[in-house]
Amino acid sequence: MDLDAYSAAHREEWDRLAELARRRVLSGKQSDELIERYQAGAAQLSAIKTAAGSTVQGDRLSVALSRARLRFTGAGAGVLSQLPRFFVLQLPAALYRLRWITLGVAVVTFVVAGLYAAWAFSNPQVLANFGSDAQLRQLANEDFVDYYSENPAASFTGLVWTNNAWIAAQCIAFGILGVYVPYIVLQNAQNLGVSAAVMFAYDKGDVFFLYIAPHGMLELTAIFVAAAGGLRIFWAWIAPGTRTRGQALAQDGRALFTVAIGLVFVLFISGVIEGFVTPAPWPWPVKIGIGALALAAFLAYMLVAGRRAIRSGETGDLDEFEAGSSRIYAG
């Protein structure tokens, strides 16, 4: 191959390729031309390397091809640069899509917990199944309160955070099974109802609510969201709509992975409140007020910010977080 003659014959094509690759905005026609010239240039570069190996002409063409490839494949943005979009758009959008299922899970939990509490409280024989009178009295008078202060606040925070995050992750991961989420919801409701019944039976109902309220408002809401996510992935499998089951599971699964990541942070906040605020010797209005503010902030994030994100076209699909930031813009 006469490399100089070959380069001269294709110089205008390579210059045009480099020009298109440098342009910030491309029309649809120019985008098509860029792809065509990229394909031709790739074949020409292969011919040069086969015939002459590494050359100045080949290196220049290679640079132009690399720039062109970035225009239609996208250059991945750094993870840190995409974090603001994740928290401002993707996470609230994914949470917003679960709002009604979350409400349904919350209603079912509180109704079932109330029924358990009423049943156990009105039947001493039922309470006796959970322990002797001495054991239940010990729980109501000492153990229930001591639970929040028997370990250092920092280690207790880490313990409840990891435990609750694990429960939330299981709800989402195993939600497709259909039976796991209802089992977790009913078990949680039963534990809540029985604990309330024991505390009320020994005239400690006020203690129950005072110690549950500061952290429980946000913690329970996060678990409700996780359960809603698991139910949604199950429903995507049962009723995918116009999508195939594979498409439905993939799309909703990516969005729910977004939720799982977000709940790690939410449950960390509830864990901090449970470890440092609930057992603190502060006035109860202050402690409950902190919990109420945390819940209000989360609901505003989920409902207000989530609604805005959905209206802007956000889907909450984590796959978009991994997409590159460079695109070919149609003029």
Side-chain angles (χ1 to χ4, degrees), residues 268-316:
F268 174 74
I269 295 173
S270 72
V272 169
I273 295 174
E274 187 170 359
F276 290 90
V277 176
T278 298
W282 302 340
W284 283 109
V286 173
K287 296 196 284 188
I288 294 176
I290 291 174
L293 285 175
L295 176 62
F298 176 73
L299 292 178
Y301 181 73
M302 177 181 184
L303 301 177
V304 179
R307 184 182 182 189
R308 290 175 180 171
I310 290 291
R311 286 186 170 182
S312 71
E314 185 60 56
T315 66

Coordinates of all heavy atoms in Angstrom, one line a residue, residues 268-316:
F268 N -30.9 4.4 58.2 CA -29.8 4.9 59.0 C -30.2 6.1 59.9 O -29.9 6.1 61.1 CB -28.6 5.3 58.1 CG -27.5 6.0 58.9 CD1 -26.6 5.2 59.7 CD2 -27.3 7.3 58.8 CE1 -25.6 5.8 60.4 CE2 -26.3 7.9 59.5 CZ -25.4 7.1 60.3
I269 N -31.0 6.9 59.3 CA -31.5 8.1 60.1 C -32.5 7.6 61.2 O -32.3 8.1 62.3 CB -32.3 9.1 59.1 CG1 -31.3 9.7 58.1 CG2 -33.0 10.2 60.0 CD1 -32.0 10.5 57.1
S270 N -33.3 6.7 60.9 CA -34.2 6.1 62.0 C -33.4 5.4 63.0 O -33.7 5.5 64.2 CB -35.3 5.2 61.4 OG -34.7 4.0 61.0
G271 N -32.3 4.8 62.6 CA -31.4 4.1 63.6 C -30.7 5.1 64.5 O -30.6 4.8 65.7
V272 N -30.3 6.2 63.9 CA -29.7 7.3 64.7 C -30.7 7.8 65.8 O -30.4 8.0 66.9 CB -29.2 8.4 63.8 CG1 -28.7 9.6 64.7 CG2 -28.0 7.9 63.0
I273 N -31.9 8.0 65.3 CA -33.0 8.5 66.2 C -33.2 7.5 67.3 O -33.3 7.8 68.5 CB -34.3 8.8 65.5 CG1 -34.0 10.0 64.5 CG2 -35.4 9.2 66.5 CD1 -35.2 10.2 63.6
E274 N -33.3 6.2 67.0 CA -33.5 5.1 68.0 C -32.4 5.0 68.9 O -32.6 4.7 70.1 CB -33.8 3.8 67.2 CG -34.2 2.7 68.2 CD -34.7 1.5 67.5 OE1 -34.7 1.5 66.2 OE2 -35.1 0.5 68.1
G275 N -31.2 5.2 68.5 CA -30.0 5.0 69.3 C -29.7 6.2 70.2 O -29.2 6.0 71.3
F276 N -29.9 7.4 69.7 CA -29.5 8.6 70.4 C -30.6 9.4 70.9 O -30.5 10.1 71.9 CB -28.6 9.5 69.5 CG -27.3 8.9 69.1 CD1 -27.1 8.1 68.0 CD2 -26.2 9.1 70.0 CE1 -25.9 7.5 67.7 CE2 -24.9 8.6 69.7 CZ -24.8 7.8 68.6
V277 N -31.8 9.4 70.3 CA -32.9 10.3 70.7 C -33.9 9.6 71.6 O -34.3 10.1 72.7 CB -33.7 10.8 69.4 CG1 -34.9 11.7 69.9 CG2 -32.7 11.7 68.6
T278 N -34.3 8.3 71.2 CA -35.3 7.6 72.0 C -34.9 7.5 73.5 O -35.7 7.7 74.4 CB -35.6 6.3 71.4 OG1 -36.2 6.5 70.1 CG2 -36.6 5.5 72.2
P279 N -33.7 7.0 73.8 CA -33.3 6.8 75.2 C -32.8 8.1 75.9 O -32.5 8.0 77.1 CB -32.2 5.8 75.1 CG -31.6 6.0 73.8 CD -32.6 6.5 72.9
A280 N -32.7 9.2 75.2 CA -32.1 10.4 75.7 C -33.1 11.0 76.8 O -34.3 10.9 76.7 CB -31.9 11.4 74.6
P281 N -32.5 11.6 77.9 CA -33.3 12.2 78.9 C -33.8 13.5 78.6 O -33.7 14.5 79.3 CB -32.3 12.3 80.1 CG -31.0 12.5 79.4 CD -31.0 11.7 78.1
W282 N -34.5 13.6 77.5 CA -35.1 14.9 77.0 C -36.6 14.9 77.2 O -37.2 13.8 77.4 CB -34.8 15.1 75.5 CG -33.3 15.1 75.2 CD1 -32.3 15.3 76.0 CD2 -32.8 14.9 73.9 NE1 -31.1 15.2 75.3 CE2 -31.3 14.9 74.0 CE3 -33.3 14.6 72.6 CZ2 -30.5 14.8 72.9 CZ3 -32.4 14.4 71.5 CH2 -31.0 14.5 71.7
P283 N -37.2 16.0 77.2 CA -38.7 16.0 77.2 C -39.3 15.3 76.1 O -38.8 15.3 74.9 CB -39.0 17.5 77.1 CG -37.8 18.2 77.6 CD -36.6 17.4 77.1
W284 N -40.4 14.5 76.4 CA -41.0 13.7 75.3 C -41.4 14.5 74.1 O -41.3 14.0 73.0 CB -42.1 12.9 75.9 CG -41.5 11.7 76.7 CD1 -41.5 11.5 78.0 CD2 -40.9 10.6 76.1 NE1 -40.9 10.3 78.4 CE2 -40.5 9.7 77.2 CE3 -40.5 10.2 74.8 CZ2 -39.8 8.5 77.0 CZ3 -39.8 9.0 74.7 CH2 -39.5 8.2 75.8
P285 N -42.0 15.7 74.3 CA -42.4 16.5 73.1 C -41.2 16.7 72.2 O -41.4 16.8 70.9 CB -43.0 17.8 73.7 CG -43.5 17.4 75.1 CD -42.5 16.4 75.5
V286 N -40.1 16.9 72.7 CA -38.9 17.2 71.9 C -38.5 15.9 71.1 O -38.3 15.9 69.9 CB -37.7 17.6 72.8 CG1 -36.4 17.7 71.9 CG2 -38.0 18.9 73.4
K287 N -38.5 14.8 71.8 CA -38.1 13.5 71.1 C -39.1 13.1 70.1 O -38.8 12.7 69.0 CB -37.9 12.4 72.2 CG -36.8 12.7 73.1 CD -36.4 11.4 73.9 CE -37.3 11.1 75.0 NZ -36.8 10.0 75.9
I288 N -40.4 13.2 70.4 CA -41.4 12.9 69.4 C -41.4 13.9 68.3 O -41.7 13.5 67.1 CB -42.8 12.8 70.1 CG1 -42.8 11.6 71.1 CG2 -43.9 12.6 69.1 CD1 -44.1 11.5 71.9
G289 N -41.2 15.1 68.6 CA -41.1 16.2 67.6 C -40.0 15.9 66.6 O -40.2 16.1 65.4
I290 N -38.8 15.4 67.1 CA -37.7 15.0 66.2 C -38.2 13.9 65.2 O -37.9 14.0 64.0 CB -36.5 14.6 67.0 CG1 -35.9 15.8 67.7 CG2 -35.4 14.0 66.0 CD1 -34.8 15.5 68.6
G291 N -38.8 12.9 65.8 CA -39.3 11.8 64.9 C -40.4 12.3 63.9 O -40.4 11.8 62.8
A292 N -41.3 13.2 64.4 CA -42.3 13.7 63.5 C -41.7 14.5 62.3 O -42.1 14.4 61.2 CB -43.3 14.5 64.2
L293 N -40.7 15.3 62.7 CA -40.0 16.1 61.6 C -39.3 15.2 60.6 O -39.3 15.5 59.4 CB -39.0 17.0 62.3 CG -39.6 18.3 63.0 CD1 -38.5 19.1 63.6 CD2 -40.3 19.2 62.0
A294 N -38.7 14.1 61.1 CA -38.0 13.2 60.2 C -39.0 12.5 59.3 O -38.8 12.4 58.1 CB -37.3 12.1 61.0
L295 N -40.2 12.1 59.8 CA -41.2 11.5 59.0 C -41.7 12.5 58.0 O -41.9 12.2 56.8 CB -42.3 11.0 59.8 CG -43.5 10.4 59.1 CD1 -43.1 9.2 58.2 CD2 -44.6 10.0 60.0
A296 N -42.0 13.7 58.4 CA -42.5 14.8 57.5 C -41.6 15.1 56.4 O -42.0 15.2 55.2 CB -42.8 16.1 58.3
A297 N -40.3 15.1 56.7 CA -39.3 15.3 55.7 C -39.3 14.2 54.6 O -39.2 14.4 53.4 CB -37.9 15.5 56.3
F298 N -39.4 13.0 55.1 CA -39.4 11.8 54.2 C -40.6 11.8 53.3 O -40.6 11.6 52.1 CB -39.3 10.5 55.0 CG -39.4 9.3 54.1 CD1 -38.3 8.9 53.3 CD2 -40.6 8.5 54.1 CE1 -38.4 7.8 52.5 CE2 -40.7 7.4 53.3 CZ -39.6 7.0 52.5
L299 N -41.8 12.1 53.9 CA -43.0 12.1 53.1 C -43.0 13.3 52.1 O -43.5 13.1 51.0 CB -44.2 12.3 54.1 CG -44.5 11.1 55.0 CD1 -45.7 11.3 55.9 CD2 -44.8 9.8 54.1
A300 N -42.4 14.4 52.5 CA -42.3 15.5 51.5 C -41.4 15.1 50.4 O -41.7 15.4 49.2 CB -41.8 16.7 52.2
Y301 N -40.3 14.4 50.7 CA -39.4 13.9 49.7 C -40.1 12.9 48.8 O -39.9 13.0 47.6 CB -38.2 13.3 50.4 CG -37.1 12.8 49.5 CD1 -36.3 13.7 48.8 CD2 -36.9 11.4 49.3 CE1 -35.3 13.2 48.0 CE2 -35.9 11.0 48.5 CZ -35.1 11.8 47.8 OH -34.1 11.4 47.0
M302 N -40.8 12.0 49.4 CA -41.5 11.0 48.6 C -42.6 11.5 47.7 O -42.7 11.1 46.6 CB -42.0 9.9 49.6 CG -42.7 8.8 48.9 SD -43.3 7.6 50.2 CE -44.1 6.3 49.2
L303 N -43.4 12.4 48.3 CA -44.7 12.8 47.6 C -44.5 14.1 46.8 O -44.9 14.2 45.7 CB -45.8 13.0 48.7 CG -46.1 11.7 49.5 CD1 -47.2 12.0 50.5 CD2 -46.6 10.6 48.6
V304 N -43.9 15.1 47.4 CA -43.7 16.4 46.7 C -42.6 16.3 45.7 O -42.8 16.5 44.5 CB -43.5 17.5 47.7 CG1 -43.3 18.8 47.0 CG2 -44.6 17.6 48.7
A305 N -41.4 15.9 46.2 CA -40.3 15.8 45.2 C -40.5 14.7 44.2 O -40.1 14.8 43.1 CB -39.0 15.6 46.0
G306 N -41.1 13.6 44.7 CA -41.4 12.5 43.8 C -42.3 12.9 42.7 O -42.2 12.5 41.5
R307 N -43.4 13.6 43.0 CA -44.3 14.1 42.0 C -43.7 15.0 41.0 O -44.0 14.8 39.8 CB -45.5 14.8 42.7 CG -46.6 15.2 41.8 CD -47.7 15.9 42.6 NE -48.8 16.3 41.7 CZ -49.8 17.1 42.0 NH1 -49.8 17.6 43.3 NH2 -50.8 17.3 41.2
R308 N -42.9 15.9 41.4 CA -42.2 16.8 40.5 C -41.3 15.9 39.6 O -41.2 16.2 38.4 CB -41.4 17.8 41.3 CG -42.2 18.8 42.0 CD -41.3 19.8 42.8 NE -42.1 20.7 43.5 CZ -41.7 21.6 44.5 NH1 -40.4 21.5 44.8 NH2 -42.4 22.5 45.0
A309 N -40.6 15.0 40.1 CA -39.6 14.1 39.3 C -40.4 13.4 38.3 O -40.0 13.3 37.1 CB -38.9 13.2 40.2
I310 N -41.6 12.8 38.7 CA -42.4 12.0 37.7 C -42.9 13.0 36.6 O -42.9 12.6 35.4 CB -43.6 11.4 38.4 CG1 -43.1 10.2 39.3 CG2 -44.6 10.9 37.4 CD1 -42.5 9.0 38.6
R311 N -43.3 14.2 37.0 CA -43.8 15.1 36.0 C -42.7 15.5 35.0 O -43.0 15.9 33.9 CB -44.4 16.3 36.6 CG -45.8 16.1 37.3 CD -46.4 17.3 37.8 NE -47.8 17.1 38.2 CZ -48.6 18.1 38.7 NH1 -48.1 19.3 38.8 NH2 -49.8 17.9 39.0
S312 N -41.5 15.5 35.5 CA -40.3 15.9 34.6 C -39.9 14.8 33.6 O -39.1 14.9 32.8 CB -39.1 16.3 35.4 OG -38.5 15.2 36.1
G313 N -40.6 13.6 33.8 CA -40.3 12.5 32.9 C -39.4 11.4 33.5 O -39.1 10.4 32.9
E314 N -39.1 11.6 34.8 CA -38.2 10.6 35.5 C -39.0 9.3 35.8 O -40.2 9.4 36.1 CB -37.7 11.2 36.8 CG -36.7 10.3 37.5 CD -35.5 10.0 36.7 OE1 -34.8 10.9 36.2 OE2 -35.2 8.8 36.4
T315 N -38.3 8.2 35.7 CA -39.0 6.9 35.9 C -38.5 6.2 37.2 O -39.2 5.3 37.7 CB -38.8 5.9 34.8 OG1 -37.4 5.6 34.7 CG2 -39.2 6.5 33.4
G316 N -37.4 6.7 37.7 CA -36.8 6.0 38.9 C -36.0 4.8 38.5 O -35.5 4.1 39.4

